[in-house]
Amino acid sequence: MRLARTGRVVTFTRDHVYPLGGPMSMTVVDLDGGGRFYGQTAGDVPLEIGMGVRLVPRVLHRGGGLPHYFWKVVPDADRR
Amino acid sequence: MPIAGEVAIVGAGVTRFGVLHDRSYLDLIAEASFAALEDAGVGLGQVDAAWLGTAEPWTAGLVGDSGAAVAEALRSGPMPVTRVSNFCTSGMEAVRGAAMAIAAGEYEVCLAIGAEKMRDVTPRGSLVAKTAEHTHPTIAKGRTAPGQFALLARRYMHEYGATVEDLAEVAVKNHDHAVLNPKAHFRKPITKEQVLAAPRVAEPLGVFDCTPTTDGAAVLVLASRSWAERHARRYASSKVSASR
């Protein structure tokens, strides 16, 4: 079963103690059709609980000199 | 046999909590253990087994990575000791392990030890940096302890209408209690304004909403109910061991 790439914000935070790269924005998403995603938000964007969001592939980190890709959360412009 | 009603707490010992650079990890285990044994009226030789809960043994040079640390700290004779680790619930995990062994009828008297030396780290940020570096390569990246509790706080506020002012009152209450506790780490009262003005750690939580990093140890002496009825000066047992 494929998880949807769209969903709604359950909760979020801006974490100031994450030691690499300044405040870390983390979001929990209820995916459309089932499943829950917990990961980084792409960029420092204002979020609200219930907001429509999308998962997009982004570079998570560059361990060992190689880019590691994973999903990050962005507001879904098509769905408020 | 279930834990509830069948396992008794017959003694307790606690060290002072704070930045304790002059006390080693083994010192803390010894102080809290002997205080608990004295409180219970139990001799070291009467202890059948122990559980040691320590979340971060590497800050004490790997000493706490095995239950052997208890034998070393207490100079006890051969005794089975299990070291457990479950992040912030490591202490409770030690209690749970000892209680289950007693409820199973394997032992009559056990020590449940929680000990942590969180402050022997330089640089200051290395505990969090370690978490960031050693987590799952994708799933846990970006996650910190306060960052996770912040998610719960924000959702809780959304569902129940609580505010950061409500959370601030919890911190004020905790500091008020600490004024009365000679073993507490911080013992000055704080105001709601100070809590709200403090730097944010992981929004919406600020410095005073989060636990400090602290050195300390606490020990419980646990026994079977039948042992407690025969020997204990006083004891407490729980009605339930978990609830939903």
Side-chain angles (χ1 to χ4, degrees):
Chain A
M1 167 199 173
R2 282 188 77 109
L3 296 175
R5 301 285 182 263
T6 54
R8 299 217 166 260
V9 174
V10 177
T11 184
F12 60 94
T13 187
R14 277 175 90 241
D15 189 334
H16 297 266
V17 287
Y18 192 74
L20 314 166
M24 172 63 73
S25 210
M26 301 291 286
T27 306
V28 178
V29 180
D30 269 348
L31 297 171
D32 296 329
R36 182 167 275 187
F37 177 82
Y38 169 32
Q40 296 182 16
T41 319
D44 208 1
V45 288
L47 294 168
E48 280 167 25
I49 291 179
M51 180 190 261
V53 289
R54 262 184 320 118
L55 302 185
V56 294
R58 291 285 186 273
V59 173
L60 194 67
H61 63 91
R62 293 177 192 275
L66 292 171
H68 293 243
Y69 293 96
F70 196 53
W71 303 102
K72 291 195 184 183
V73 179
V74 295
D76 191 344
D78 298 332
R79 282 170 22 147
R80 298 273 92 223
Chain B
M1 211 172 24
I3 293 175
E6 293 304 320
V7 180
I9 299 170
V10 298
V14 185
T15 67
R16 200 167 57 80
F17 274 51
V19 182
L20 309 175
H21 291 315
D22 59 332
R23 323 289 307 292
S24 73
Y25 175 74
L26 296 179
D27 286 337
L28 296 176
I29 291 178
E31 182 187 326
S33 297
F34 287 120
L37 288 169
E38 160 135 8
D39 186 48
V42 168
L44 185 55
Q46 294 173 271
V47 177
D48 297 320
W51 267 256
L52 170 63
T54 291
E56 308 243 342
W58 49 80
T59 63
L62 289 179
V63 167
D65 216 359
S66 156
V70 173
E72 203 174 321
L74 305 187
R75 313 277 201 258
S76 62
M79 173 169 66
V81 185
T82 304
R83 186 221 146 207
V84 294
S85 173
N86 226 334
F87 293 142
C88 322
T89 67
S90 297
M92 203 54 206
E93 194 63 54
V95 174
R96 193 164 156 268
M100 286 201 287
I102 291 170
E106 186 69 16
Y107 303 121
E108 279 208 302
V109 180
C110 290
L111 294 180
I113 302 167
E116 213 73 49
K117 284 280 276 171
M118 300 187 78
R119 296 303 292 254
D120 285 354
V121 282
T122 50
R124 183 69 190 83
S126 69
L127 278 175
V128 181
K130 214 172 344 134
T131 310
E133 282 151 29
H134 294 157
T135 49
H136 185 281
T138 53
I139 291 171
K141 277 287 173 273
R143 193 173 71 176
T144 66
Q148 289 176 88
F149 291 117
L151 297 170
L152 295 172
R154 174 155 273 133
R155 184 71 202 190
Y156 180 90
M157 286 159 60
H158 172 82
E159 297 220 4
Y160 297 102
T163 63
V164 282
E165 284 80 13
D166 295 328
L167 294 185
E169 293 197 27
V170 175
V172 169
K173 174 264 297 176
N174 290 347
H175 281 251
D176 279 348
H177 286 179
V179 170
L180 304 170
N181 179 1
K183 298 196 173 172
H185 186 167
F186 295 111
R187 302 194 56 210
K188 282 202 268 215
I190 55 174
T191 66
K192 201 154 105 168
E193 290 67 40
Q194 283 175 293
V195 179
L196 295 170
R200 297 298 96 186
V201 172
E203 297 161 24
L205 302 177
V207 169
F208 289 110
D209 300 308
C210 297
T211 56
T213 44
T214 302
D215 302 333
V219 176
L220 292 181
V221 184
L222 296 161
S224 64
R225 183 163 58 89
S226 70
W227 188 96
E229 283 167 354
R230 279 174 284 133
H231 305 293
R233 295 169 179 166
R234 59 192 179 1
Y235 67 92
S237 65
S238 62
K239 285 202 156 88
V240 292
S241 62
S243 59
R244 285 181 172 271

